Amino acid sequence: MNTKILLAASAFLLGGLGLAASFFPEEILTMLGEPMAGTGPLLVQLLGALYLGFGMLNWMSKGVVMGGIYARPLVMGNLLHFFAGAMALLKQTQAGTPEAFWGLAVIYVLLAVLFGVTMFRHPLKEKASV
C-alpha cells in the first residue's frame, strides 16, 4: 500500500474540515441546527485548529516509512481518530441527521480500515531496479 497517498488524502480531508471549521463556525452550527449562542462557535473553531494541526502532521509525514514498527505513533493516532470518528458518525447517521454525515462516515470508515491495515503490515521493500 502506498502510504504517501494515504497520508496525503487524510491531510487534505482534515485540512479541508479544519479550514471550514476555523473560518465558518456559525455556518456549520446553523447547518447542524445548533444554537450559535455561548461557546459553540469557539468550540467549532478549536476543533478546526485541531483538524488543521493533525492534517499538517500527516502532510509533513507523508514521506516517512510507515507500517509495522515504523511511524507507529503516527499510524496509531490516525487509526484511533478515524476509527472513533467513524463509530461516532455511524451512530449519528442512525439518528436521521443530514445526508452529509453519510458521506463523511463512509470516508472515515475507509480511512480507519486503511490505517488499520497499515498498522499491522510490514512496509514493502522497494524493488531493486537492474
Side-chain angles (χ1 to χ4, degrees), residues 52-71:
L52 281 171
F54 205 25
M56 187 57 70
L57 174 70
N58 285 347
W59 181 257
M60 294 183 77
S61 300
K62 67 184 186 300
V64 173
V65 176
M66 293 176 54
I69 63 169
Y70 301 103

Side-chain angles (χ1 to χ4, degrees), residues 6-84:
L6 177 61
L7 281 176
S10 67
F12 279 116
L13 173 69
L14 295 173
L17 291 172
L19 285 173
S22 293
F23 291 108
F24 305 110
E26 290 88 7
E27 290 81 357
I28 290 172
L29 288 171
T30 301
M31 182 185 75
L32 297 174
E34 297 294 327
M36 287 186 286
T39 60
L42 174 64
L43 292 176
V44 172
Q45 285 180 319
L46 287 174
L47 178 67
L50 176 70
Y51 275 179
L52 281 171
F54 205 25
M56 187 57 70
L57 174 70
N58 285 347
W59 181 257
M60 294 183 77
S61 300
K62 67 184 186 300
V64 173
V65 176
M66 293 176 54
I69 63 169
Y70 301 103
R72 186 172 283 265
L74 178 65
V75 178
M76 193 62 182
N78 278 288
L79 174 60
L80 179 60
H81 169 76
F82 286 112
F83 179 76

Side-chain angles (χ1 to χ4, degrees), residues 85-127:
M87 294 300 106
L89 285 165
L90 288 172
K91 182 179 176 186
Q92 190 64 30
T93 56
Q94 300 301 316
T97 56
E99 291 78 28
F101 281 112
W102 276 106
L104 194 57
V106 167
I107 293 170
Y108 261 64
V109 167
L110 176 64
L111 287 170
V113 168
L114 291 174
F115 277 110
V117 168
T118 302
M119 179 73 178
F120 297 108
R121 182 175 286 170
H122 192 337
L124 301 174
K125 294 182 180 178
E126 297 284 330
K127 292 185 178 183

